[in-house]
């Protein structure tokens, strides 16, 4: 029986590229591999095995540049009719797999991406890599968060070794090419016409061996040190905000950039003010005389200055009065918040005899359920309705 055209076997047109040949073979080899067809009926299994042998033979020729050139020019006569199995490539199917014991899992490892993406390839250990990011928690006062500040933070991080300038060796001549891999960092394992690259076991893929490592970094090129960094706290920043300092993280590898430093901001509790968004809140104690008659009181603000606040006549405890634009201008925003003053009517203590007498006289002139005491009147009305069953 005459042999089929090798391009036809692989489902390709003559002149297909190396990449197309490899891709088509991988797909078909997985489809007809003995491990995949082991559960088929005998007739189908035998046909798949013959197809797989045919694929091996076609790929053995078309993947070899010299053989491919002869085949393209003279056809099967140009290669003397040799097949892959007859030339010492793949063995038979006695073991249910490739010659040398290479089964379905081995071919999957070799090709990785046959089923769409497959397994990830190893990273080149000599490629530049960005350093790891770091995090730091910082506490600031309410004033610092409102008006901005500059703080210093101290933390340990990995940096390029200053002794060897990150080279890992005492002298440049101490770094030599790895003899095992010839400086390539990869070693090639062959099995039939499959070739699998793996990191060199001696240099771990770097391609270099350090004969005498640096005494400080022990050959890593990196060293742990305490670092002090100035952090600019922007005006208006709120608790829970995160500031990013580019390049202040761990040192990169192989000349890669440093990672970043993320500073998480916490705002300390204030003795007078409480922040809610861009507004400030505070409690203002006033005398019952000021609450009853009204008047002006001095109110503190966050910038250290005080303002006059007009307290209306008849002010009650917990009543809120607003001072416009005495809050905080947020980090992202145009308008400044307000200051909300919560009134607290303070009961006097340690009264003199004269003061007690005056208060007694005042108390006799106003009943607790009169219109002069709106909350008291409301309470007594409710109590009266409760006892009357209304």
């Amino acid at each position: 029986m005459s042999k089929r055209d090798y391009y036809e076997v692989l489902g390709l047109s003559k002149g297909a590229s190396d990449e197309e040949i490899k891709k088509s073979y991988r797909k078909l080899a997985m489809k007809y591999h003995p491990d995949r067809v082991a559960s088929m009926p005998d007739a189908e299994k035998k046909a798949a095995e013959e197809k797989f042998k045919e694929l091996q033979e076609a790929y053995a020729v078309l993947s070899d540049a010299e053989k491919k050139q002869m085949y393209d020019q003279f056809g099967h006569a140009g290669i003397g009719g040799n097949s892959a199995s007859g030339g010492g490539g793949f063995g038979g199917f006695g073991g249910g797999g490739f010659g040398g014991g290479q089964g379905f899992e081995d071919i999957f490892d070799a090709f990785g991406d046959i089923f769409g993406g497959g397994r990830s390839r190893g990273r080149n250990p000599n490629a530049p890599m960005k350093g790891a990011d770091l995090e730091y928690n910082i506490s600031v006062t309410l004033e610092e968060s409102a008006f901005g500040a500059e703080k210093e933070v101290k933390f340990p991080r990995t940096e390029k070794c200053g002794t060897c300038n990150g080279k890992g060796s005492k002298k440049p001549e101490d770094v030599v090419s790895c003899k095992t891999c010839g400086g390539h960092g990869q070693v090639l394992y062959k099995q039939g016409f499959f070739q699998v690259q793996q990191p060199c076991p001696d240099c771990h893929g770097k391609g270099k061996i350090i004969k005498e490592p640096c005494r400080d970094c022990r050959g890593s090129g990196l060293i742990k040190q305490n670092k002090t960094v100035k952090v600019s706290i922007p005006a208006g920043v709120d608790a829970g905000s995160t500031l990013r300092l580019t390049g202040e993280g761990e040192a990169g590898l192989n000349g890669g950039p440093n990672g970043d430093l993320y500073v998480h901001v916490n705002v300390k509790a204030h003795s007078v003010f409480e922040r809610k968004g861009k507004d400030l809140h505070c409690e203002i104690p006033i005398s019952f005389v000021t609450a009853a008659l009204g008047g002006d009181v001095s109110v503190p603000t966050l910038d250290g200055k005080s303002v006059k606040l007009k307290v209306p006549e008849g002010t009650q405890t917990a009543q809120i009065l607003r001072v416009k634009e005495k809050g905080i201008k947020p980090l992202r925003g145009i308008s400044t918040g307000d200051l909300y003053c919560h009134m607290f009517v303070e009961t006097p203590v340690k009264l003199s005899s004269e003061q007690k007498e005056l208060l007694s006289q005042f108390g006799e002139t106003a009943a607790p359920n009169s219109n002069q005491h709106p909350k008291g009147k409301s309470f007594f009305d409710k109590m009266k309705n409760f006892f009357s069953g209304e």
Side-chain angles (χ1 to χ4, degrees):
M1 181 183 294
S2 60
K3 292 181 180 294
R4 280 207 301 160
D5 180 80
Y6 287 151
Y7 288 101
E8 181 185 343
V9 171
L10 295 176
L12 300 170
S13 301
K14 188 174 181 179
S17 66
D18 293 342
E19 185 61 31
E20 290 173 329
I21 292 171
K22 183 185 296 184
K23 184 176 180 180
S24 180
Y25 173 73
R26 290 177 177 180
K27 181 178 179 181
L28 294 171
M30 292 298 296
K31 180 178 180 181
Y32 295 105
H33 191 279
D35 289 353
R36 293 291 301 275
V37 301
S39 60
M40 289 184 176
D42 290 343
E44 294 181 23
K45 179 179 178 182
K46 185 175 181 180
E49 290 177 349
E50 292 299 325
K51 179 68 175 176
F52 189 67
K53 288 180 181 179
E54 194 177 32
L55 288 168
Q56 295 175 21
E57 182 178 330
Y59 185 73
V61 172
L62 298 183
S63 63
D64 185 295
E66 185 177 345
K67 290 181 180 179
K68 181 175 180 291
Q69 182 181 1
M70 295 297 292
Y71 180 77
D72 288 344
Q73 188 172 359
F74 302 106
H76 291 292
I79 56 172
N82 291 332
S83 67
S85 58
F90 287 100
F93 296 99
F98 291 101
Q102 186 176 26
F104 180 69
E105 287 300 320
D106 298 314
I107 191 173
F108 188 89
D109 286 334
F111 290 140
D113 58 352
I114 292 174
F115 290 120
R119 304 181 184 182
S120 60
R121 297 179 182 271
R123 183 189 297 273
N124 178 5
N126 292 313
M129 295 174 59
K130 182 181 178 182
D133 295 330
L134 295 175
E135 296 183 66
Y136 189 93
N137 296 319
I138 189 172
S139 294
V140 299
T141 64
L142 182 59
E143 289 85 351
E144 290 172 333
S145 72
F147 306 118
E150 190 172 83
K151 308 284 284 186
E152 283 190 349
V153 298
K154 189 174 182 180
F155 57 96
R157 77 173 184 187
T158 300
E159 297 186 354
K160 184 170 68 174
C161 177
T163 303
C164 65
N165 197 31
K167 303 298 183 182
S169 62
K170 294 180 65 176
K171 303 174 184 177
E173 54 266 29
D174 288 334
V175 181
V176 297
S177 293
C178 175
K179 293 181 180 180
T180 303
C181 64
H184 298 293
Q186 302 285 318
V187 289
L188 191 65
Y189 296 96
K190 294 184 178 181
Q191 193 163 30
F193 55 78
F194 282 102
Q195 297 181 350
V196 182
Q197 275 193 337
Q198 293 185 350
C200 175
D202 290 339
C203 66
H204 305 290
K206 293 184 175 297
K208 304 289 183 182
I209 297 290
I210 299 177
K211 294 192 299 182
E212 191 171 353
C214 169
R215 66 178 184 277
D216 291 331
C217 67
R218 298 180 181 180
S220 68
L222 301 173
I223 192 168
K224 205 76 172 181
Q225 290 186 334
N226 287 325
K227 176 70 175 180
T228 301
V229 174
K230 290 185 177 181
V231 180
S232 293
I233 307 297
V237 69
D238 203 353
S241 299
T242 298
L243 308 177
R244 176 185 175 186
L245 279 67
T246 304
E248 294 296 350
E250 301 276 24
L253 297 176
N254 305 319
N258 281 23
D260 301 328
L261 174 64
Y262 290 88
V263 179
H264 305 293
V265 179
N266 173 59
V267 180
K268 301 175 184 177
H270 197 275
S271 60
V272 176
F273 301 102
E274 180 183 358
R275 179 175 178 174
K276 294 182 179 180
K278 64 179 181 179
D279 298 321
L280 291 175
H281 294 254
C282 69
E283 187 178 75
I284 304 296
I286 58 175
S287 69
F288 80 96
V289 176
T290 301
L293 303 179
D296 293 333
V297 295
S298 182
V299 174
T301 61
L302 194 60
D303 59 11
K305 301 176 183 178
S306 60
V307 295
K308 291 291 185 181
L309 177 64
K310 187 173 183 61
V311 178
E313 180 179 323
T315 295
Q316 303 295 317
T317 291
Q319 188 171 336
I320 300 174
L321 303 178
R322 182 178 68 164
V323 182
K324 292 183 178 181
E325 298 185 353
K326 286 299 179 180
I328 293 176
K329 185 175 181 180
L331 184 60
R332 295 177 180 85
I334 300 175
S335 61
T336 302
D338 300 326
L339 171 62
Y340 289 89
C341 302
H342 299 249
M343 298 295 105
F344 180 81
V345 181
E346 192 171 26
T347 302
V349 297
K350 298 180 180 180
L351 298 176
S352 65
S353 299
E354 183 181 359
Q355 290 172 325
K356 290 179 180 179
E357 180 63 28
L358 290 172
L359 283 177
S360 295
Q361 294 176 9
F362 172 76
E364 292 172 358
T365 64
N369 60 346
S370 68
N371 291 332
Q372 292 179 333
H373 297 84
K375 284 189 176 294
K377 184 177 186 305
S378 174
F379 173 77
F380 283 112
D381 286 344
K382 290 177 182 178
M383 186 171 63
K384 179 180 178 182
N385 294 335
F386 174 74
F387 285 114
S388 64
E390 296 182 5

